[in-house]
Amino acid sequence: MSARPMDLRYRAAVLGRVLLAALGGYAVAALATGLLALVLPMPRSEAVATATLLSFAVMIAVVVGVFAVRSLGRAALLVGGLALPLGAGLWLVQTLAGTA
């Protein structure tokens, strides 16, 4: 029994979303955690703990967003659109603080 081309295309799209949600969600959550740990106005240990707890919500939001948009391309734009400013903000904060 062979799979129809439509089935393969659909399965590939689902696999792409799963990979994007898992890997992209992790990347966005890690960037958000790093940035928040540096900018939250509280003692460093509390900022790190708070940022780490918030990272779970960020990861869930990215996963939901990846599966909510209409296409895999838009999902990739969503993840990239979140990762780019977070990465730039993290780089900027590290550069201005002299910790890069």
Side-chain angles (χ1 to χ4, degrees), residues 15-30 59 62-63 66 79 83:
L15 177 62
R17 284 181 191 253
V18 168
L19 290 174
L20 184 62
L23 301 176
Y26 179 81
V28 169
M59 175 81 172
V62 171
V63 170
V66 165
V79 172

Side-chain angles (χ1 to χ4, degrees), residues 19-66:
L19 290 174
L20 184 62
L23 301 176
Y26 179 81
V28 169
L31 289 168
T33 301
L35 181 60
L36 287 172
L38 293 175
V39 300
L40 286 175
M42 53 184 67
R44 179 61 57 99
S45 61
E46 291 179 20
V48 170
T50 302
T52 302
L53 288 172
L54 288 173
S55 73
F56 292 103
V58 170
M59 175 81 172
I60 296 293
V62 171
V63 170
V64 169
V66 165

